[in-house]
């Protein structure tokens, strides 16, 4: 059981920290564009394979059980984990970025490869952590954070005639649409007194059961 739990922690940490390590590498070794592309592609493949491993070998996740580990950094305590749905989203996310990297392999100017891959790695890291967080408030923060690197990427690599308008529209629609999510989260916190997703589900289940009885 200890080996099982330790393996699980290692795999979740790999999913969450792999893009961050990729960014550090891209910042530290900016001169070899081919090497940077290979590293980014390899690390994306690692996350995809880890997601597949978790999906096929941890079969009892289909019952709705959450696998969780707690991470403490000074005064911040974060619980990360996954369930059946989040594993599917992690796999699809990694596959999508894999396709994006291959699709842009020959289309990005050499002098812009570094910023292109850093922005992709940053977006991938945000999404990986978004799908692994079990706190709805952190989920909202990460959801909003994806707008900034996406906006920068559109501004740098978009069409000259449409990139500014497209970037602003993307940013505004993301922020405006997320306001409804923020109101819902505030309502959930006021009703349940918690932002921890399993506690929220349990509270609403009890509330539904009491109403039926």
């Amino acid at each position: 059981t200890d080996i099982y739990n330790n393996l699980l922690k290692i795999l979740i940490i790999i999913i969450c920290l792999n893009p961050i390590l990729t960014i550090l590498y891209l910042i530290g070794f900016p001169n070899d564009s081919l090497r940077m592309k290979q590293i980014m592609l390899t690390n994306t493949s690692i996350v995809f394979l880890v997601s597949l491993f978790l999906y096929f070998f941890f079969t009892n996740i289909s019952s709705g059980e959450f696998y969780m580990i707690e991470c403490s950094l000074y005064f911040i305590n974060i619980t990360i984990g996954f369930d059946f749905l989040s594993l599917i989203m992690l796999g699809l996310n990694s596959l999508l970025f894999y396709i994006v990297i291959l699709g842009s392999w020959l289309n990005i100017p050499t002098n812009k490869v570094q910023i292109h891959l850093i922005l992709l790695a940053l977006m991938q890291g945000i999404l990986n952590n978004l799908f692994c967080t079990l706190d709805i408030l952190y989920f909202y923060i990460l959801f909003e954070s994806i707008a900034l690197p996406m906006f920068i990427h559109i501004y740098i690599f978009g069409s000259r005639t449409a990139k500014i308008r497209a970037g602003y529209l993307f940013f505004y629609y993301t922020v405006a649409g997320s306001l409804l999510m923020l109101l819902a989260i505030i309502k959930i916190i006021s009703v349940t007194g918690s932002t921890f997703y399993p506690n929220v589900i349990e509270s609403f289940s009890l509330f539904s059961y009491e109403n039926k009885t």
Side-chain angles (χ1 to χ4, degrees):
T1 304
D2 291 337
I3 297 176
Y4 178 88
N5 291 332
N6 291 333
L7 175 62
L8 185 62
K9 291 180 181 180
I10 291 172
L11 293 178
I12 295 178
I13 290 172
I14 287 174
I15 289 175
C16 293
L17 295 185
N18 184 279
I20 298 175
L21 297 177
T22 304
I23 291 173
L24 293 177
Y25 178 88
L26 294 173
I27 293 174
F29 302 92
N31 297 323
D32 190 344
S33 60
L34 178 60
R35 183 64 175 172
M36 287 190 293
K37 293 175 184 177
Q38 292 172 341
I39 291 296
M40 182 67 185
L41 198 64
T42 300
N43 289 351
T44 301
S45 302
I46 290 173
V47 175
F48 179 71
L49 292 175
V50 170
S51 302
L52 283 181
F53 175 82
L54 291 171
Y55 182 86
F56 286 109
F57 287 89
F58 293 86
T59 54
N60 54 342
I61 56 174
S62 59
S63 63
E65 181 181 355
F66 290 94
Y67 288 90
M68 299 172 288
I69 62 172
E70 293 185 0
C71 300
S72 299
L73 181 63
Y74 298 104
F75 59 90
I76 301 176
N77 295 317
I78 302 175
T79 302
I80 59 176
F82 61 85
D83 62 357
F84 180 74
L85 181 60
S86 62
L87 281 182
I88 295 176
M89 298 305 296
L90 283 168
L92 290 175
N93 180 51
S94 301
L95 181 61
L96 176 62
F97 276 94
Y98 192 91
I99 295 172
V100 169
I101 296 167
L102 290 178
S104 62
W105 194 271
L106 299 176
N107 299 325
I108 302 298
T110 304
N111 62 331
K112 293 184 178 181
V113 168
Q114 183 188 28
I115 185 64
H116 167 65
L117 295 178
I118 287 176
L119 289 171
L120 288 182
L122 181 58
M123 286 186 279
Q124 185 182 28
I126 292 173
L127 288 172
N128 286 352
N129 284 273
L130 183 148
F131 294 134
C132 286
T133 186
L134 296 176
D135 189 292
I136 58 176
L137 188 58
Y138 287 133
F139 179 90
Y140 176 79
I141 293 172
L142 290 168
F143 178 81
E144 286 299 301
S145 300
I146 196 68
L148 183 58
M150 181 68 77
F151 176 82
I152 296 173
H153 196 277
I154 292 173
Y155 184 79
I156 295 175
F157 297 99
S159 169
R160 290 184 180 180
T161 57
K163 65 181 181 181
I164 296 178
R165 183 173 182 272
Y168 279 114
L169 287 176
F170 169 82
F171 188 81
Y172 290 147
Y173 286 140
T174 302
V175 173
S178 65
L179 288 178
L180 297 176
M181 185 194 301
L182 180 60
L183 293 176
I185 290 174
I186 293 173
K187 179 63 177 179
I188 289 172
I189 295 173
S190 66
V191 172
T192 65
S194 175
T195 59
F196 187 51
Y197 183 69
N199 291 347
V200 170
I201 294 297
E202 183 179 359
S203 298
F204 276 107
S205 298
L206 291 174
F207 180 74
S208 177
Y209 176 77
E210 290 174 356
N211 284 344
K212 290 181 179 178
T213 55

